[in-house]
Amino acid sequence: MIQSGVHKKKPRIRNRQRNKINQVPQDQGESPDAIASSLKSNGSKAANGVESKPPVEKPLLTSGNSLLESLSKIGQVENPQENDTIRLIQQLLRRKLLAKNSAVPSSENKPSTDPVKIVTQPKEIKSEEKKPKISSTSVTPKLKTEAKASGISKEEEINDLLKCLGSKLPKGSGESPAAALFSNLGKLFSQAPPSDVESSDEEVEEYVEYIYKPRQYFMASLCNFCKSDLCGQNRIPCSRCGLSYYCSSGHMKDDQEHRQLCYALRQTVDRNGHEMFYKCGDFSDEQFRSFRIVCIRQVEKEMNRQLSATERELLLFPLICADSKCREHRFKRLSMCGGCGEVAFCKDKPEHRGKEHAKWCGAYQIFKAFIMFQEQFGRMEPSLPSKILRELPMACSNTKQMMKKLSFNVTNECEYAALTQVSTGPLTAWFALKLCERLRNCEEMTLHLIGAEIEFEADMLQKWELFLLHITPAVKTLNVVFVGPELNPNNISFEQLKKIKCCRFCRKAQRTVNYHFENSLYHDYCRESHFLQPNLICFFNCGLYRSTGFALEDTWPDTIQAALNLNCPIVVTSYTKYEAPLDMIQFINQSNRHLNVVMPPTVNPFSSEKPERNFISDNEASFMFKNFYCFVVD
């Protein structure tokens, strides 16, 4: 029963042809309606968030006799015009692409569920002038396709295709659109697909590579809004909190991100009844460190949330007099270092600058250069060497000598520092194995990285091939096992991370790097059935001396004992000279056997030279470096 007042509209039926494509005989292949429905289905996939990227070259080259038969049927159209010819060729190619896509579903059309960032195969050669990539901790998969061998000779098929197209195009003098199309098609088919693989019989495969995106940093010598250098310039302190600085009053007004923190800082100051760093010169170094933590807790209570790492740096590294017995906080009474602009001292007491700052001024400048580069271009990714050594570089005793051995030279100071950050992990492991004489006649090598951080050890995974496999000629298989309870904070798909391939030279020589990820405590992993016996155990920057570890519990004693029970070399590194002896004492106290100390706590010649701000022992060292100090036991 039809409801009263509601008119049911009859569907409209079209009897006329909608466009010229409908004039093509139906026996020439797919009907226009089929093509339209295929396009509509593809469009719906794109609308659902799946990006469809149909291949162009590969279907044309592997479509076989069906493509040639379809081309021959175009001859049924007598004396076609140039536009009709081009339109028919385009329609034919589109039909074949749609048919190919519907017959063989491409893995490119599958949506990704990975919550991390994925990049392409490790680059073998990268120009030094090329801008570094901007990457993110959110990961998206990218596919690498490799050509498959075809049953028909590609050259014969291409020649037949071009002859068939040429016979159907109109003849005449001059460069007609059809002739131009014919010429471009010839150039297109003559180009080989880009690939670094010599053989063409490998399967299409997905893989990912984790690239860590560094966070933003606060520096008093940079404009808090635009990150321009304020050294030697007129810097304007925030009119309310006085702790952030700007290049102009306009940028101070535009800095909306600082507003909430600024208000909380002012409220905390009003509640305390004095400025934030009032009379801090009365504190010892340890007391001043604790006081800054208390200030952070007060501001967090005022904001009813935790401060970000960048916001905390406003209170951890304030612009105050460098003299520990002064710590003058009033901006008008301070002068700045002319080299870095980051360290202040009293105008009327230049001796407050201190002699120690001279050895850290350069590190301040490099650190600042990294922040400014990151603000403009994103993360700095250095060029990487691709040379494979035929003999062990036993004479190399530091990073510069190793780079020279790899015929690799980086002149930019910041890029070289970034390169040392990438290479320090594998080169430190190589250095420890060299000291223990475990490099020769080793066809399979297994490394355990305990307490591994995804942002450091697993960042740019190809570094383990470039800086360890490539410099150990005898090694055929390298196993790198990342172990740690906090290894996967972003829920990365480890199965996809494992699929990253070695360079084509290593694949040709049947050399491989296998990556294993164990998101657990090390002593628990040692009891697993898939446990791999290591050649070297690495504690990189673990801070073994700290009593609070994972979940605020001290789990290091069990881990240290499990590592010592394996009877293999162990290398332990630390950020600073202050931490190394403390780690050594903890290691000895937890040992249940005699330890052969191959190398006591020493400056690591393969440490990173990329500076990072130091809060734990800032009175002794303004910056810390990855793997700066190390000791080796066997």
Side-chain angles (χ1 to χ4, degrees):
M1 179 177 179
I2 301 177
Q3 185 178 354
S4 136
V6 177
H7 175 67
K8 187 175 181 181
K9 188 176 180 180
K10 294 183 179 180
R12 183 180 178 184
I13 302 176
R14 289 181 178 270
N15 294 323
R16 62 184 179 83
Q17 295 174 340
R18 298 190 62 176
N19 51 46
K20 290 185 178 181
I21 293 181
N22 287 347
Q23 298 177 10
V24 180
Q26 297 297 320
D27 59 349
Q28 292 185 13
E30 294 185 52
S31 66
D33 294 336
I35 295 174
S37 63
S38 298
L39 287 174
K40 184 177 180 180
S41 63
N42 284 352
S44 65
K45 289 181 181 179
N48 290 331
V50 181
E51 184 181 357
S52 177
K53 297 181 180 179
V56 177
E57 285 191 37
K58 191 180 291 185
L60 290 177
L61 297 180
T62 59
S63 53
N65 294 331
S66 60
L67 178 57
L68 300 179
E69 292 173 1
S70 299
L71 283 171
S72 64
K73 291 179 181 179
I74 298 179
Q76 297 176 8
V77 183
E78 296 182 359
N79 300 323
Q81 299 296 323
E82 278 192 3
N83 291 337
D84 292 336
T85 304
I86 295 174
R87 188 181 298 110
L88 288 172
I89 293 174
Q90 292 173 342
Q91 178 191 350
L92 176 64
L93 296 179
R94 183 175 60 183
R95 288 179 186 172
K96 302 313 295 182
L97 291 176
L98 291 174
K100 187 72 176 180
N101 287 341
S102 60
V104 183
S106 172
S107 60
E108 289 184 359
N109 292 333
K110 296 178 182 179
S112 171
T113 57
D114 299 323
V116 239
K117 180 160 194 159
I118 297 169
V119 293
T120 54
Q121 187 77 6
K123 300 172 286 296
E124 297 173 26
I125 299 176
K126 181 176 179 182
S127 171
E128 293 188 10
E129 292 78 19
K130 188 174 181 180
K131 283 185 181 179
K133 296 180 293 185
I134 302 175
S135 53
S136 169
T137 51
S138 68
V139 180
T140 50
K142 205 183 229 184
L143 303 178
K144 174 119 176 149
T145 58
E146 297 177 354
K148 286 186 177 181
S150 175
I152 304 174
S153 172
K154 290 183 179 180
E155 292 184 2
E156 295 178 2
E157 185 176 359
I158 291 170
N159 292 334
D160 291 341
L161 176 60
L162 293 177
K163 288 179 182 178
C164 185
L165 286 174
S167 64
K168 305 306 175 186
L169 294 176
K171 304 297 188 296
S173 59
E175 181 75 1
S176 64
L181 174 63
F182 179 68
S183 175
N184 290 333
L185 281 173
K187 293 177 182 178
L188 174 66
F189 290 127
S190 64
Q191 293 177 356
S195 174
D196 69 337
V197 184
E198 293 180 352
S199 59
S200 59
D201 55 352
E202 298 187 24
E203 295 291 332
V204 175
E205 198 171 319
E206 282 187 37
Y207 59 86
V208 303
E209 182 188 352
Y210 183 86
I211 289 189
Y212 171 64
K213 178 184 177 181
R215 62 174 178 84
Q216 289 189 335
Y217 293 86
F218 167 80
M219 288 190 79
S221 59
L222 293 177
C223 174
N224 201 46
F225 182 73
C226 68
K227 301 302 180 186
S228 61
D229 194 356
L230 299 177
C231 183
Q233 306 296 324
N234 180 33
R235 72 179 79 187
I236 302 175
C238 177
S239 58
R240 290 188 59 83
C241 70
L243 294 178
S244 62
Y245 301 88
Y246 302 91
C247 60
S248 65
S249 57
H251 279 190
M252 181 171 62
K253 294 178 181 178
D254 293 339
D255 191 8
Q256 298 293 333
E257 293 183 7
H258 176 66
R259 292 272 177 102
Q260 185 187 17
L261 174 62
C262 184
Y263 179 79
L265 288 169
R266 194 68 250 170
Q267 291 292 105
T268 305
V269 166
D270 294 341
R271 195 181 303 276
N272 293 338
H274 56 76
E275 293 297 326
M276 191 71 72
F277 298 104
Y278 174 73
K279 287 189 176 181
C280 284
D282 298 337
F283 296 150
S284 66
D285 293 330
E286 195 59 40
Q287 287 174 335
F288 183 54
R289 215 173 346 263
S290 300
F291 173 75
R292 285 176 282 176
I293 297 297
V294 170
C295 290
I296 290 175
R297 298 291 176 260
Q298 289 179 341
V299 175
E300 287 179 335
K301 184 178 180 180
E302 197 70 41
M303 297 180 69
N304 198 26
R305 69 168 175 86
Q306 287 188 340
L307 298 184
S308 67
T310 310
E311 292 172 331
R312 289 197 297 268
E313 287 177 340
L314 204 73
L315 295 168
L316 294 179
F317 307 109
L319 189 66
I320 58 178
C321 179
D323 189 276
S324 60
K325 295 181 180 180
C326 175
R327 296 195 178 106
E328 173 63 58
H329 68 283
R330 286 167 288 190
F331 178 74
K332 292 182 179 180
R333 297 191 177 188
L334 298 175
S335 290
M336 318 303 165
C337 170
C340 63
E342 186 67 17
V343 173
F345 53 93
C346 293
K347 288 181 179 179
D348 56 344
K349 300 175 182 177
E351 66 274 11
H352 282 188
R353 178 175 179 176
K355 297 179 181 179
E356 285 293 313
H357 175 64
K359 71 176 184 179
W360 297 111
C361 190
Y364 274 111
Q365 295 177 49
I366 293 177
F367 185 70
K368 184 195 298 186
F370 269 104
I371 297 175
M372 295 172 67
F373 183 93
Q374 177 184 319
E375 179 69 18
Q376 188 172 2
F377 302 111
R379 180 177 114 146
M380 178 179 289
E381 290 189 37
S383 303
L384 300 176
S386 59
K387 185 176 180 179
I388 302 175
L389 302 183
R390 296 184 180 180
E391 296 180 357
L392 281 169
M394 302 300 286
C396 296
S397 57
N398 55 50
T399 303
K400 287 187 177 180
Q401 293 179 6
M402 186 64 75
M403 295 304 163
K404 185 177 180 181
K405 190 70 176 179
L406 292 171
S407 303
F408 196 72
N409 183 34
V410 176
T411 56
N412 182 275
E413 194 173 21
C414 281
E415 188 177 4
Y416 179 76
L419 179 64
T420 62
Q421 179 88 340
V422 172
S423 64
T424 180
L427 289 183
T428 299
W430 179 87
F431 177 59
L433 290 168
K434 172 189 171 182
L435 292 176
C436 298
E437 299 181 355
R438 302 295 182 94
L439 287 175
R440 300 186 185 277
N441 304 320
C442 180
E443 291 192 0
E444 183 171 0
M445 182 186 295
T446 301
L447 306 181
H448 286 183
L449 307 181
I450 300 180
E453 297 176 341
I454 196 74
E455 295 88 356
F456 176 55
E457 283 90 350
D459 182 33
M460 297 182 69
L461 280 175
Q462 72 266 33
K463 65 188 177 186
W464 296 99
E465 176 198 358
L466 301 180
F467 295 108
L468 189 53
L469 185 65
H470 281 188
I471 65 175
T472 50
V475 176
K476 295 292 184 182
T477 303
L478 173 62
N479 300 310
V480 185
V481 185
F482 305 93
V483 188
E486 300 171 302
L487 181 62
N488 197 8
N490 297 316
N491 297 320
I492 303 168
S493 173
F494 287 145
E495 292 303 316
Q496 286 183 312
L497 277 176
K498 293 177 183 178
K499 294 179 181 180
I500 186 170
K501 296 180 180 179
C502 294
C503 68
R504 61 190 177 103
F505 300 106
C506 288
R507 295 203 301 272
K508 188 175 180 180
Q510 297 183 342
R511 305 178 73 193
T512 59
V513 182
N514 302 316
Y515 302 99
H516 305 268
F517 300 89
E518 302 294 333
N519 198 21
S520 63
L521 294 168
Y522 185 70
H523 47 273
D524 293 333
Y525 165 65
C526 290
R527 294 190 287 264
E528 297 290 342
S529 59
H530 55 273
F531 172 81
L532 295 176
Q533 182 67 29
N535 297 91
L536 176 70
I537 299 175
C538 304
F539 289 83
F540 286 156
N541 312 297
C542 286
L544 301 178
Y545 69 95
R546 301 192 190 107
S547 58
T548 55
F550 176 66
L552 301 179
E553 295 181 5
D554 189 6
T555 59
W556 286 124
D558 293 337
T559 293
I560 292 173
Q561 290 176 11
L564 290 171
N565 291 337
L566 296 175
N567 295 318
C568 71
I570 300 174
V571 57
V572 181
T573 69
S574 59
Y575 289 109
T576 63
K577 180 181 178 180
Y578 167 80
E579 295 177 292
L582 299 177
D583 285 342
M584 183 79 172
I585 293 171
Q586 171 76 340
F587 213 86
I588 294 174
N589 290 340
Q590 299 299 330
S591 174
N592 54 5
R593 64 176 176 87
H594 172 72
L595 291 180
N596 176 26
V597 180
V598 179
M599 186 181 74
T602 310
V603 175
N604 178 13
F606 295 95
S607 70
S608 170
E609 296 184 25
K610 180 182 178 183
E612 299 179 21
R613 296 291 284 266
N614 177 27
F615 173 73
I616 297 174
S617 56
D618 56 351
N619 57 304
E620 295 185 4
S622 300
F623 287 93
M624 56 186 183
F625 303 87
K626 297 283 190 183
N627 299 339
F628 183 57
Y629 255 68
C630 71
F631 65 87
V632 180
V633 298
D634 196 355

